């Protein structure tokens, strides 16, 4: 019988293998419907999750391989990045479609800052993952992880606040409100995933990464499943639904360039 982490690796392959071609197909079909940051993150995300499932199984069969451990942990931890990027892209879609004048400028500048900070947080997280299992760099790894996840948490809060203001302030067009509803729904599960990451950086960083129950590869498979993998999957499904909706609404109403090709 497979151990829990191997079972999770198999589950990732089963659930994400069909989503890789689906996300690629939707990206191609939505390519002309900007902003593309709303659509393309699903492709690297599903690919990363599929690869991390394969790597988890291989690592469980070949324990002790330091390089394999580092690559697997990086892949398991970096899944939050594309989801936050999609969240940002969906928000940008509504901003560019609904706002004008000063409101547009302020919101657009805020989203630009958020996108740059997503890149910075992703780089910090990837660098921290590269130090996994190195006792002499445990403090550096923990510090980089803390900065990255605190930054992610701040970005998610900022996006939720912007979406909430657009929705409750009645600034968004009626046809755009579905994107805000979807983004806010997905944000619930992104918050759960972020919480898992925040707990992990304090409990499973540095010297504790191989022993803590909050380690995604060596800790509790149940915690990783229900606080990371399941919330990620639900958020991804919401974004895929919005991608399908965008494609169908643009084709059905035959909108002009300024409506769809933002």
């Amino acid at each position: 019988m497979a151990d829990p982490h191997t079972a999770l690796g198999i589950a990732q392959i089963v659930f994400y293998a069909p989503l890789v071609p689906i996300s690629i197909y939707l990206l191609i079909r939505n390519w002309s419907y900007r902003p593309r940051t709303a659509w393309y993150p699903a492709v690297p995300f599903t690919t990363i999750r599929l690869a991390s499932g394969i790597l988890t199984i291989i690592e469980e069969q070949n324990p002790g391989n330091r390089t394999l451990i580092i690559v697997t942990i990086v892949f398991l931890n970096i899944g939050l990045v594309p989801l936050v990027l999609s969240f940002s892209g969906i928000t940008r879609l509504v901003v560019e479609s609904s706002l004008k004048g000063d409101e547009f400028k302020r919101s657009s500048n805020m989203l630009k800052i958020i996108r740059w900070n997503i890149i910075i947080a992703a780089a910090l997280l990837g660098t921290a993952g590269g130090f996994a299992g190195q006792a002499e760099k445990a403090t550096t790894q923990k510090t980089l992880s803390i900065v990255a996840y605190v930054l992610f948490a701040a970005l998610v809060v900022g996006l939720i606040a912007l979406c909430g203001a657009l929705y409750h302030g009645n600034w968004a067009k009626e046809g755009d409100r579905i994107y805000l509803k979807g983004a806010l729904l997905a944000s619930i599960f992104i918050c759960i995933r972020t919480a898992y990451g925040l707990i992990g950086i304090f409990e499973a960083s540095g010297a504790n990464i191989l022993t803590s129950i909050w380690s995604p590869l060596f800790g509790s498979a149940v915690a990783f499943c229900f606080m990371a993998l399941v919330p990620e999957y639900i958020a991804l499904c919401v974004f895929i639904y919005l991608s399908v909706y965008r494609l169908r609404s643009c084709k059905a109403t035959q909108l002009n360039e300024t409506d769809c090709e933002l």
Side-chain angles (χ1 to χ4, degrees), residues 75-93:
F75 272 49
L76 289 173
N77 280 333
I78 211 166
L80 182 62
V81 178
L83 293 179
V84 178
L85 194 57
S86 281
F87 190 5
S88 171
I90 293 294
T91 308
R92 181 184 167 195
L93 186 158

Side-chain angles (χ1 to χ4, degrees), residues 16-174:
Y16 282 98
L19 288 184
V20 171
I22 290 174
S23 60
I24 292 173
Y25 170 78
L26 288 172
L27 172 62
I28 293 172
R29 295 300 302 274
N30 275 311
W31 188 254
S32 60
Y33 305 147
R34 296 174 182 269
R36 296 185 182 119
T37 48
W39 323 125
Y40 78 75
V43 176
F45 177 76
T46 53
T47 304
I48 287 170
R49 274 290 159 260
L50 180 61
S52 63
I54 296 171
L55 288 170
T56 299
I57 295 172
I58 295 174
E59 195 284 328
E60 291 294 322
Q61 301 300 318
N62 300 276
N65 187 316
R66 180 173 166 178
T67 302
L68 187 58
I69 289 173
I70 291 173
V71 174
T72 305
I73 289 176
V74 169
F75 272 49
L76 289 173
N77 280 333
I78 211 166
L80 182 62
V81 178
L83 293 179
V84 178
L85 194 57
S86 281
F87 190 5
S88 171
I90 293 294
T91 308
R92 181 184 167 195
L93 186 158
V94 178
V95 166
E96 294 185 347
S97 174
S98 297
L99 299 186
K100 306 293 181 185
D102 291 340
E103 291 82 4
F104 170 77
K105 290 180 180 179
R106 284 194 294 267
S107 298
S108 182
N109 288 335
M110 179 180 176
L111 288 172
K112 287 179 181 177
I113 294 171
I114 286 174
R115 287 199 300 275
W116 277 108
N117 279 279
I118 290 173
I119 295 172
I120 293 171
L124 291 172
L125 198 58
T127 303
F131 294 146
Q134 301 180 44
E136 70 279 7
K137 295 182 178 178
T139 302
T140 302
Q141 186 213 13
K142 185 170 185 177
T143 301
L144 291 175
S145 298
I146 289 173
V147 174
Y149 265 101
V150 169
L151 186 53
F152 272 128
L155 295 174
V156 171
V157 170
L159 286 169
I160 291 173
L162 181 54
C163 284
L166 289 169
Y167 186 82
H168 294 292
N170 294 317
W171 292 339
K173 295 177 181 177
E174 188 62 34

